[in-house]
Amino acid sequence: MIEWLTKNFPHGSNYLVCQTHSEQINQWIANRMITPFQHGRKHILWGKIAEQLPLVGQRLGWVPNKIGLSFLNETVALELADALAVQENIFQPAARHCSQASDLLNQFKLAELSDQNPFSLSEGETKLLWFLTQWIKQPEYFVVGYLPTSLSNQRIEFIVDFLLDKANERTRHSVIILGFHSNQTEWLKPLQSSPEWSIVSRLPDDEEEQI
């Protein structure tokens, strides 16, 4: 999967990919990372695909629309602090990670969610939390299947501004990929006018069957 991404979305730019429907990119990733374990034979659980999956997970940050997401902590703040600690290869989050998590929640105007259980969040709140946990790990590829799903116009504008700001930072992700619809492009106009972003007319063909 990473080899395919590298071939079709080379480093040095971010990409806006036109989709035939809002789940096209998500289905492509899910078919390679999730479906083999749901419908395959038992040997898949300890075969080549299973061995590759953790490596792909380290290099790929993925924000889907509807696929069930797993959280490991009792509160939103701890979930982010844990992600920050893992990024430094630290098993338990320290005080600084909790402080950084609080700063992120404040930046995204989500401070009121700090003490909530992640599984009690709305679809939009869950997507934002997952967005942050995936962003924190600084993957080689950061993919958002379709940003507008479950988010208000205000939230969409905020994230677009966030991505534009981060594009100029030295710590930005190597490649960001956002899916969009040809008949719903108002939200991505600021990205279209940025030299950091390239437009791809369709999801490239893929002959690979595994991750």
Side-chain angles (χ1 to χ4, degrees):
M1 177 186 292
I2 299 298
E3 288 75 13
W4 180 86
L5 287 169
T6 302
K7 174 184 176 181
N8 292 284
F9 302 98
H11 293 195
S13 179
N14 299 312
Y15 298 89
L16 300 168
V17 182
C18 188
Q19 305 181 95
T20 56
H21 57 88
S22 62
E23 291 295 323
Q24 186 180 13
I25 290 176
N26 290 329
Q27 286 180 357
W28 184 90
I29 296 177
N31 286 343
R32 286 148 187 81
M33 294 187 66
I34 298 175
T35 303
F37 298 94
Q38 293 177 331
H39 304 293
R41 297 181 178 179
K42 289 184 178 180
H43 70 82
I44 290 179
L45 296 177
W46 55 81
K48 182 178 179 181
I49 295 178
E51 293 176 355
Q52 293 178 351
L53 190 59
L55 299 177
V56 172
Q58 292 175 7
R59 300 174 67 183
L60 174 67
W62 174 36
V63 184
N65 293 331
K66 300 178 182 179
I67 295 174
L69 306 176
S70 297
F71 298 106
L72 304 176
N73 294 276
E74 296 180 355
T75 69
V76 168
L78 284 175
E79 190 70 27
L80 292 178
D82 191 53
L84 288 160
V86 169
Q87 175 59 23
E88 298 180 16
N89 294 317
I90 298 175
F91 182 69
Q92 291 286 348
R96 71 175 184 278
H97 300 124
C98 294
S99 178
Q100 291 169 358
S102 179
D103 290 343
L104 267 178
L105 289 171
N106 286 329
Q107 181 181 355
F108 274 72
K109 299 180 180 180
L110 297 172
E112 70 278 5
L113 303 181
S114 179
D115 295 325
Q116 290 193 32
N117 187 299
F119 293 101
S120 70
L121 303 179
S122 67
E123 287 187 8
E125 292 166 344
T126 298
K127 186 170 185 176
L128 288 171
L129 176 57
W130 193 257
F131 178 98
L132 288 173
T133 59
Q134 295 297 290
W135 182 270
I136 284 170
K137 72 180 187 180
Q138 298 184 7
E140 182 177 350
Y141 283 90
F142 184 78
V143 182
V144 182
Y146 190 61
L147 183 62
T149 300
S150 301
L151 297 180
S152 67
N153 290 334
Q154 185 178 9
R155 289 292 188 192
I156 296 168
E157 291 175 6
F158 181 89
I159 292 179
V160 168
D161 289 341
F162 174 83
L163 294 175
L164 285 170
D165 290 342
K166 293 300 181 182
N168 294 321
E169 294 186 5
R170 294 177 62 187
T171 58
R172 74 182 180 93
H173 302 86
S174 296
V175 179
I176 305 171
I177 299 173
L178 301 182
F180 74 94
H181 290 174
S182 60
N183 61 345
Q184 295 181 358
T185 59
E186 188 67 28
W187 64 273
L188 54 82
K189 284 185 177 180
L191 300 173
Q192 288 177 310
S193 61
S194 170
E196 296 283 343
W197 291 80
S198 302
I199 299 176
V200 179
S201 60
R202 65 179 179 84
L203 190 68
D205 293 331
D206 176 22
E207 297 179 355
E208 298 180 4
E209 297 182 355
Q210 305 199 359
I211 65 175

